[in-house]
Amino acid sequence: MRATGAHIVTYRDDPADAEVISHKLMARAGYIYKVSAGLYAYSPMMWRSIKKVQNIIREELDDAGALEVQLPILQSSELWKKSGRWDAYQASGTMFSTSDRKDATYGLAPTAEEVVTDYAGSSVNSYKQLPLNLYQIHTKFRDEIRPRFGLLRVKEFLMKDAYSFDVSEEALDVSYEKMRSAYYRIFERMGLRALGVDADPGDIGGSGSMEFMLAAETGEDDILVEPGTGYAANTEKAESVLAASPSAGEDARALRIEDTPNIRTVAELQGFFPEIEASRMVKTVLVKAVHAEEEVLWAVLIRGDQEINEVKLRNHTGGLAIQMLTAAEIEENTGAKQGFAGPVGLSDAFSVVADLSVEGMVNLLCGCNETDKHALDVLPGRDFAVPTYADVRLARAGEPGPREGKPLELYRGIEVGHIFKLGTKYAAPMGATFIGDNGKPQPFVMGCYGIGVSRVAASAVEQFADDKGIVWPVPIAPFEVVVTCLNVKKAPLTETAEKVYEALKAAGIDVLLDDRKMGPGAKLKDAELLGFPYAIVVGRSWEKEGQLEARERASGEGWAGGLDEIVQSIIHKVEAGRAGLEPEGR
RNA sequence: CGGGGUGUGGCGCAGUCCGGUAGCGCACCUGCUUUGGGAGCAGGAAGUCGUAGGUUCAAAUCCUGCCACCCCGACCA
């Protein structure tokens, strides 16, 4: 393609509302245009990249035996009520909803489990039709609380979503594993190194899930990695090994209640009782778990030097969301002011869960639901009922990892893919069944698998950009090579540029000929900003020495040579670059 | 939703405190010159100053309501 016909529009300034590098550069390069908050138009150049991302995904999924479909994104609330997800998504406010002229309610798809399960339920009758894996690449909608970071977090985006249908858990394991390895290949083929991490399934639900992360400082997820062991997990889910409380194994002393005027936090208590470490204290955090129909009060006990993981806690309570109690609610339900709650003398209004870090603690210090007092030398089981123990603790960097006890390292990442084992979570309530080999109807055992297509493109920019602009990996670049003619008024130059352009086109290279009437500086800057992996410059050195110059965007490396020589070297480099990254074991 | 901030040609901004009828840079159009790192000169087009109301002889500027957008927290591919 010729640049004069490619609708290239670039800007000198970053948009005022851009924070992260991918947003700034994609806007400056004219790849994206903000229509309103969280809604972007993709330019022709952007769309070329996105189509390449899509095609890599298609090829790998087709290879893995999945079938592409296209499902409606306007979906009846009736269907969502059958799976039970309507309430959850209304509660969290993530789904856009609307109604038709007859007042029937619809949602705009944030994912498509209901629709695809409905389809499979009606079109699959026998176990002989399984396994089945259906996928689509389509628009998804989420009413994000705060859209930001350009294409990284938006209200409307392109997602690849796949759904597997199997006869059993064992068969699901096979389908899941196929997708997992396909995911590594997909990202490697794009030239991106994705990290698979254990994750929380969130609103989608199900038994197992794994996220695929691209490392980036601006990522919104924290990942803990135990180096050399293959253990990596989102902090929402991550586990670590915790040393026992120093009090473990001590003889129990008698309970005492002491005055602690206006001493509320662990830090303040440490100041007040300098001889008692935080690891001998138990904090009691009061929350409510919000369910569709009710709210349940919970008291959460955790060792004083530890913090609660809200996601783990939410999963334990089975609620849709966790909210901290307000000062007024605390007083009303415990009879004491904020800062003095504890398991000792706690009202029956609360369900109690204690983190594993509390198990085995003796002579601990905690609140006793009396303002300006704390209990010391408390013994669980004697001074309060032995609670249910569960892991609700936030693992932190530096703590020993769960596999071999090596210190956990913290990384930030952008979530670009997420795979889930759903089991029968959707098929069972929706009555989506097939006839098994025993002649009886049974629900599908499902998995679902997402990739944020538009987010992948933005993440790639985020990961590779430099101070000059975007640096596309070859497999997803809008053009693999730009041929820059520095002076379009000189016939020898334009003729040479044409020749190079035709030669590369004939070799099957995606090449852009920059034939615009602009100054040489502006063209070179544009090529760098737009991020084409390779550039061939036709200018002075051709006029004077019959030499073309080639440049590699990523390394900044340049080389010169005769026309054929340069064309051949570029073809080789591009063809090598198309393969993406070397597979890394899995 | 809570806290903070901003709305002025397509983009980036000044002008607002102290009221007097709108300006700069980039981009755009025409012509000439220029061509190895975002060219020069000359000419031109483009804004009811987010919006509604109020104060005033006079409002981008002061007052009130509303809207949009952005930043910090909770959501996710």
Side-chain angles (χ1 to χ4, degrees):
Chain A
M1 190 179 291
R2 285 158 202 279
T4 45
H7 193 56
I8 293 171
V9 184
T10 61
Y11 303 90
R12 224 171 176 134
D13 300 309
D14 290 335
D17 59 8
E19 283 271 301
V20 300
I21 191 79
S22 65
H23 186 192
K24 287 180 183 170
L25 291 177
M26 292 171 102
R28 264 187 64 200
Y31 281 112
I32 56 174
Y33 169 75
K34 185 167 86 178
V35 178
S36 69
L39 298 170
Y40 286 87
Y42 305 134
S43 76
M45 199 71 80
M46 182 78 251
W47 191 243
R48 289 181 68 93
S49 264
I50 287 179
K51 280 192 291 193
K52 290 190 177 183
V53 171
Q54 293 184 4
N55 284 334
I56 290 171
I57 293 171
R58 281 199 178 96
E59 285 172 23
E60 289 299 328
L61 292 184
D62 291 350
D63 260 15
L67 302 169
E68 185 167 3
V69 294
Q70 193 82 176
L71 306 166
I73 47 183
L74 185 62
Q75 304 179 344
S76 158
S77 62
E78 293 303 311
L79 207 48
W80 280 67
K81 282 178 182 157
K82 281 191 199 165
S83 71
R85 243 186 351 158
W86 183 260
D87 287 337
Y89 274 70
Q90 292 306 116
S92 63
T94 2
M95 184 154 61
F96 285 104
S97 49
T98 182
S99 53
D100 67 8
R101 64 182 73 208
K102 288 186 279 185
D103 246 9
T105 311
Y106 294 82
L108 285 173
T111 66
E113 282 81 2
E114 283 76 5
V115 171
V116 77
T117 304
D118 185 50
Y119 171 55
S122 115
S123 61
V124 174
N125 302 308
S126 160
Y127 73 95
K128 294 172 187 168
Q129 290 168 275
L130 300 178
L132 178 67
N133 188 327
L134 301 174
Y135 78 94
Q136 63 172 348
I137 298 176
H138 212 179
T139 306
K140 298 290 181 298
F141 297 87
R142 291 196 189 158
D143 189 356
E144 290 292 339
I145 295 164
R146 188 145 88 86
R148 60 182 142 175
F149 302 150
L151 287 193
L152 289 175
R153 174 163 233 89
V154 288
K155 289 179 174 153
E156 180 180 330
F157 57 99
L158 263 184
M159 179 165 114
K160 184 285 298 180
D161 45 326
Y163 306 88
S164 65
F165 300 87
D166 280 291
V167 296
S168 65
E169 291 287 340
E170 294 71 40
L172 166 60
D173 289 344
V174 174
S175 298
Y176 183 85
E177 196 48 42
K178 258 192 200 170
M179 283 297 111
R180 202 175 72 94
S181 53
Y183 268 46
Y184 283 110
R185 280 198 302 281
I186 286 168
F187 293 116
E188 279 158 2
R189 280 196 51 195
M190 291 176 189
L192 304 170
R193 186 68 73 198
L195 178 68
V197 307
D198 285 351
D200 181 83
D203 278 353
I204 310 274
S207 60
S209 99
M210 189 170 196
E211 287 170 342
F212 288 79
M213 298 282 186
L214 293 183
E217 279 169 33
T218 44
E220 294 182 90
D221 286 276
D222 289 325
I223 305 155
L224 287 169
V225 175
E226 187 179 351
T229 66
Y231 181 80
N234 195 305
T235 47
E236 289 179 348
K237 170 96 179 179
E239 297 171 12
S240 65
V241 178
L242 187 64
S245 164
S247 68
E250 286 177 358
D251 291 333
R253 294 187 286 266
L255 174 76
R256 39 195 181 105
I257 306 288
E258 299 232 352
D259 286 335
T260 51
N262 215 22
I263 305 292
R264 293 155 195 273
T265 65
V266 168
E268 287 166 3
L269 281 161
Q270 267 195 286
F272 196 78
F273 297 108
E275 74 285 4
I276 304 180
E277 306 93 278
S279 57
R280 290 174 170 270
M281 302 180 186
V282 164
K283 316 190 246 209
T284 304
V285 179
L286 303 177
V287 302
K288 56 187 173 189
V290 182
H291 294 69
E293 305 282 317
E294 53 169 357
E295 291 180 347
V296 180
L297 296 176
W298 282 87
V300 187
L301 310 182
I302 191 160
R303 212 168 81 186
D305 58 339
Q306 298 298 318
E307 280 172 56
I308 289 173
N309 179 326
E310 239 186 82
V311 174
K312 288 182 182 176
L313 177 59
R314 189 191 61 191
N315 290 341
H316 180 82
T317 64
L320 301 171
I322 295 291
Q323 283 173 13
M324 300 287 287
L325 294 193
T326 62
E329 287 170 326
I330 290 172
E331 249 184 280
E332 182 186 327
N333 288 292
T334 68
K337 290 205 188 288
Q338 185 172 22
F340 302 98
V344 176
L346 182 68
S347 148
D348 292 343
F350 290 92
S351 306
V352 181
V353 58
D355 180 67
L356 296 171
S357 59
V358 175
E359 200 165 16
M361 285 177 76
V362 177
N363 299 325
L364 57 87
L365 184 163
C366 64
C368 54
N369 308 299
E370 282 186 59
T371 304
D372 293 340
K373 289 186 195 306
H374 276 84
L376 282 78
D377 294 334
V378 176
L379 182 64
R382 178 190 69 187
D383 303 319
F384 62 92
V386 174
T388 307
Y389 290 104
D391 176 17
V392 292
R393 180 173 57 92
L394 190 68
R396 292 178 289 203
E399 293 170 354
R403 294 268 171 87
E404 297 175 20
K406 294 183 184 164
L408 294 172
E409 293 175 1
L410 181 70
Y411 294 92
R412 289 190 73 77
I414 301 169
E415 183 188 354
V416 288
H418 201 155
I419 61 179
F420 307 78
K421 286 184 188 175
L422 299 174
T424 57
K425 178 182 158 136
Y426 291 86
M430 291 180 67
T433 59
F434 60 95
I435 306 297
D437 58 3
N438 59 2
K440 296 200 173 129
Q442 41 193 288
F444 299 106
V445 182
M446 294 174 55
C448 85
Y449 316 91
I451 292 181
V453 173
S454 41
R455 184 183 274 184
V456 165
S459 309
V461 172
E462 198 69 37
Q463 209 169 38
F464 296 121
D466 61 21
D467 55 343
K468 292 179 182 146
I470 292 169
V471 184
W472 289 111
V474 172
I476 60 172
F479 289 95
E480 294 162 323
V481 179
V482 58
V483 177
T484 305
C485 179
L486 289 188
N487 187 340
V488 295
K489 289 200 173 161
K490 292 186 174 165
L493 295 187
T494 54
E495 283 161 15
T496 304
E498 289 281 347
K499 220 183 270 178
V500 172
Y501 170 62
E502 292 298 338
L504 289 170
K505 253 201 332 193
I509 305 287
D510 261 338
V511 56
L512 181 74
L513 175 64
D514 194 348
D515 56 345
R516 295 174 297 168
K517 294 183 177 66
M518 293 169 58
K523 283 189 176 186
L524 294 169
K525 291 271 189 217
D526 262 4
E528 285 161 345
L529 175 61
L530 289 160
F532 307 119
Y534 293 97
I536 295 178
V537 180
V538 185
R540 185 180 287 158
S541 58
W542 176 258
E543 270 185 291
K544 299 201 166 148
E545 300 140 42
Q547 297 263 295
L548 294 178
E549 288 163 67
R551 294 182 190 183
E552 183 171 69
R553 179 70 181 85
S555 62
E557 194 184 309
W559 62 99
L563 192 150
D564 289 341
E565 194 184 334
I566 289 295
V567 167
Q568 286 311 314
S569 67
I570 288 289
I571 290 172
H572 280 122
K573 296 228 178 216
V574 169
E575 284 175 351
R578 281 176 182 170
L581 300 180
E582 286 295 311
E584 199 178 55
R586 291 285 165 192

PDB file of all heavy atoms in Angstrom, chain A residues 452-467:
ATOM      1  N   GLY A 452      -8.319 -11.057  25.272  1.00  0.00           N
ATOM      2  CA  GLY A 452      -8.690  -9.686  24.942  1.00  0.00           C
ATOM      3  C   GLY A 452      -7.912  -9.250  23.708  1.00  0.00           C
ATOM      4  O   GLY A 452      -6.751  -8.859  23.813  1.00  0.00           O
ATOM      5  N   VAL A 453      -8.567  -9.316  22.564  1.00  0.00           N
ATOM      6  CA  VAL A 453      -7.879  -9.091  21.292  1.00  0.00           C
ATOM      7  C   VAL A 453      -7.347  -7.660  21.195  1.00  0.00           C
ATOM      8  O   VAL A 453      -6.174  -7.422  20.920  1.00  0.00           O
ATOM      9  CB  VAL A 453      -8.818  -9.402  20.110  1.00  0.00           C
ATOM     10  CG1 VAL A 453      -8.184  -9.005  18.792  1.00  0.00           C
ATOM     11  CG2 VAL A 453      -9.171 -10.888  20.113  1.00  0.00           C
ATOM     12  N   SER A 454      -8.230  -6.683  21.452  1.00  0.00           N
ATOM     13  CA  SER A 454      -7.778  -5.297  21.350  1.00  0.00           C
ATOM     14  C   SER A 454      -6.781  -4.994  22.473  1.00  0.00           C
ATOM     15  O   SER A 454      -5.852  -4.210  22.292  1.00  0.00           O
ATOM     16  CB  SER A 454      -8.968  -4.342  21.391  1.00  0.00           C
ATOM     17  OG  SER A 454      -9.933  -4.742  22.339  1.00  0.00           O
ATOM     18  N   ARG A 455      -6.961  -5.649  23.601  1.00  0.00           N
ATOM     19  CA  ARG A 455      -6.036  -5.411  24.701  1.00  0.00           C
ATOM     20  C   ARG A 455      -4.652  -5.972  24.398  1.00  0.00           C
ATOM     21  O   ARG A 455      -3.645  -5.395  24.815  1.00  0.00           O
ATOM     22  CB  ARG A 455      -6.578  -6.015  26.003  1.00  0.00           C
ATOM     23  CG  ARG A 455      -5.706  -5.725  27.183  1.00  0.00           C
ATOM     24  CD  ARG A 455      -6.205  -6.371  28.448  1.00  0.00           C
ATOM     25  NE  ARG A 455      -7.188  -5.559  29.145  1.00  0.00           N
ATOM     26  CZ  ARG A 455      -7.706  -5.901  30.317  1.00  0.00           C
ATOM     27  NH1 ARG A 455      -7.353  -7.031  30.893  1.00  0.00           N
ATOM     28  NH2 ARG A 455      -8.583  -5.124  30.905  1.00  0.00           N
ATOM     29  N   VAL A 456      -4.608  -7.097  23.676  1.00  0.00           N
ATOM     30  CA  VAL A 456      -3.317  -7.669  23.306  1.00  0.00           C
ATOM     31  C   VAL A 456      -2.520  -6.660  22.478  1.00  0.00           C
ATOM     32  O   VAL A 456      -1.326  -6.443  22.705  1.00  0.00           O
ATOM     33  CB  VAL A 456      -3.497  -8.969  22.492  1.00  0.00           C
ATOM     34  CG1 VAL A 456      -2.193  -9.352  21.808  1.00  0.00           C
ATOM     35  CG2 VAL A 456      -3.960 -10.100  23.389  1.00  0.00           C
ATOM     36  N   ALA A 457      -3.200  -6.028  21.517  1.00  0.00           N
ATOM     37  CA  ALA A 457      -2.515  -5.062  20.667  1.00  0.00           C
ATOM     38  C   ALA A 457      -1.957  -3.918  21.513  1.00  0.00           C
ATOM     39  O   ALA A 457      -0.796  -3.523  21.364  1.00  0.00           O
ATOM     40  CB  ALA A 457      -3.471  -4.539  19.599  1.00  0.00           C
ATOM     41  N   ALA A 458      -2.763  -3.411  22.427  1.00  0.00           N
ATOM     42  CA  ALA A 458      -2.314  -2.311  23.279  1.00  0.00           C
ATOM     43  C   ALA A 458      -1.179  -2.759  24.201  1.00  0.00           C
ATOM     44  O   ALA A 458      -0.228  -2.012  24.441  1.00  0.00           O
ATOM     45  CB  ALA A 458      -3.480  -1.771  24.105  1.00  0.00           C
ATOM     46  N   SER A 459      -1.266  -3.988  24.690  1.00  0.00           N
ATOM     47  CA  SER A 459      -0.233  -4.492  25.593  1.00  0.00           C
ATOM     48  C   SER A 459       1.098  -4.636  24.874  1.00  0.00           C
ATOM     49  O   SER A 459       2.152  -4.404  25.456  1.00  0.00           O
ATOM     50  CB  SER A 459      -0.613  -5.856  26.156  1.00  0.00           C
ATOM     51  OG  SER A 459      -1.903  -5.820  26.680  1.00  0.00           O
ATOM     52  N   ALA A 460       1.024  -5.030  23.604  1.00  0.00           N
ATOM     53  CA  ALA A 460       2.247  -5.171  22.819  1.00  0.00           C
ATOM     54  C   ALA A 460       2.923  -3.807  22.693  1.00  0.00           C
ATOM     55  O   ALA A 460       4.140  -3.686  22.821  1.00  0.00           O
ATOM     56  CB  ALA A 460       1.934  -5.748  21.445  1.00  0.00           C
ATOM     57  N   VAL A 461       2.119  -2.773  22.470  1.00  0.00           N
ATOM     58  CA  VAL A 461       2.674  -1.425  22.397  1.00  0.00           C
ATOM     59  C   VAL A 461       3.301  -1.057  23.734  1.00  0.00           C
ATOM     60  O   VAL A 461       4.425  -0.564  23.813  1.00  0.00           O
ATOM     61  CB  VAL A 461       1.579  -0.407  22.030  1.00  0.00           C
ATOM     62  CG1 VAL A 461       2.114   1.014  22.135  1.00  0.00           C
ATOM     63  CG2 VAL A 461       1.053  -0.680  20.627  1.00  0.00           C
ATOM     64  N   GLU A 462       2.577  -1.343  24.786  1.00  0.00           N
ATOM     65  CA  GLU A 462       3.033  -1.033  26.130  1.00  0.00           C
ATOM     66  C   GLU A 462       4.383  -1.696  26.417  1.00  0.00           C
ATOM     67  O   GLU A 462       5.277  -1.100  26.994  1.00  0.00           O
ATOM     68  CB  GLU A 462       1.976  -1.557  27.111  1.00  0.00           C
ATOM     69  CG  GLU A 462       2.038  -0.995  28.493  1.00  0.00           C
ATOM     70  CD  GLU A 462       1.657   0.466  28.563  1.00  0.00           C
ATOM     71  OE1 GLU A 462       0.745   0.902  27.836  1.00  0.00           O
ATOM     72  OE2 GLU A 462       2.289   1.186  29.346  1.00  0.00           O
ATOM     73  N   GLN A 463       4.510  -2.940  25.973  1.00  0.00           N
ATOM     74  CA  GLN A 463       5.692  -3.722  26.312  1.00  0.00           C
ATOM     75  C   GLN A 463       6.933  -3.288  25.526  1.00  0.00           C
ATOM     76  O   GLN A 463       8.040  -3.349  26.041  1.00  0.00           O
ATOM     77  CB  GLN A 463       5.401  -5.199  26.033  1.00  0.00           C
ATOM     78  CG  GLN A 463       6.171  -6.130  26.928  1.00  0.00           C
ATOM     79  CD  GLN A 463       5.670  -7.561  26.818  1.00  0.00           C
ATOM     80  OE1 GLN A 463       5.318  -8.033  25.754  1.00  0.00           O
ATOM     81  NE2 GLN A 463       5.665  -8.265  27.931  1.00  0.00           N
ATOM     82  N   PHE A 464       6.769  -2.882  24.282  1.00  0.00           N
ATOM     83  CA  PHE A 464       7.945  -2.678  23.423  1.00  0.00           C
ATOM     84  C   PHE A 464       8.251  -1.232  23.053  1.00  0.00           C
ATOM     85  O   PHE A 464       9.261  -0.982  22.419  1.00  0.00           O
ATOM     86  CB  PHE A 464       7.773  -3.471  22.124  1.00  0.00           C
ATOM     87  CG  PHE A 464       7.724  -4.949  22.332  1.00  0.00           C
ATOM     88  CD1 PHE A 464       6.624  -5.689  21.934  1.00  0.00           C
ATOM     89  CD2 PHE A 464       8.780  -5.612  22.928  1.00  0.00           C
ATOM     90  CE1 PHE A 464       6.570  -7.055  22.124  1.00  0.00           C
ATOM     91  CE2 PHE A 464       8.744  -6.986  23.121  1.00  0.00           C
ATOM     92  CZ  PHE A 464       7.640  -7.710  22.723  1.00  0.00           C
ATOM     93  N   ALA A 465       7.370  -0.284  23.390  1.00  0.00           N
ATOM     94  CA  ALA A 465       7.568   1.085  22.922  1.00  0.00           C
ATOM     95  C   ALA A 465       8.868   1.682  23.471  1.00  0.00           C
ATOM     96  O   ALA A 465       9.355   1.275  24.521  1.00  0.00           O
ATOM     97  CB  ALA A 465       6.389   1.942  23.352  1.00  0.00           C
ATOM     98  N   ASP A 466       9.425   2.632  22.733  1.00  0.00           N
ATOM     99  CA  ASP A 466      10.559   3.398  23.266  1.00  0.00           C
ATOM    100  C   ASP A 466      10.252   4.886  23.124  1.00  0.00           C
ATOM    101  O   ASP A 466       9.129   5.259  22.804  1.00  0.00           O
ATOM    102  CB  ASP A 466      11.861   2.995  22.565  1.00  0.00           C
ATOM    103  CG  ASP A 466      11.822   3.271  21.069  1.00  0.00           C
ATOM    104  OD1 ASP A 466      11.003   4.116  20.624  1.00  0.00           O
ATOM    105  OD2 ASP A 466      12.609   2.645  20.337  1.00  0.00           O
ATOM    106  N   ASP A 467      11.259   5.726  23.360  1.00  0.00           N
ATOM    107  CA  ASP A 467      10.974   7.167  23.373  1.00  0.00           C
ATOM    108  C   ASP A 467      10.645   7.714  21.984  1.00  0.00           C
ATOM    109  O   ASP A 467      10.145   8.819  21.853  1.00  0.00           O
ATOM    110  CB  ASP A 467      12.141   7.938  24.000  1.00  0.00           C
ATOM    111  CG  ASP A 467      13.466   7.624  23.310  1.00  0.00           C
ATOM    112  OD1 ASP A 467      13.535   6.604  22.582  1.00  0.00           O
ATOM    113  OD2 ASP A 467      14.416   8.386  23.491  1.00  0.00           O
TER     114      ASP A 467
END
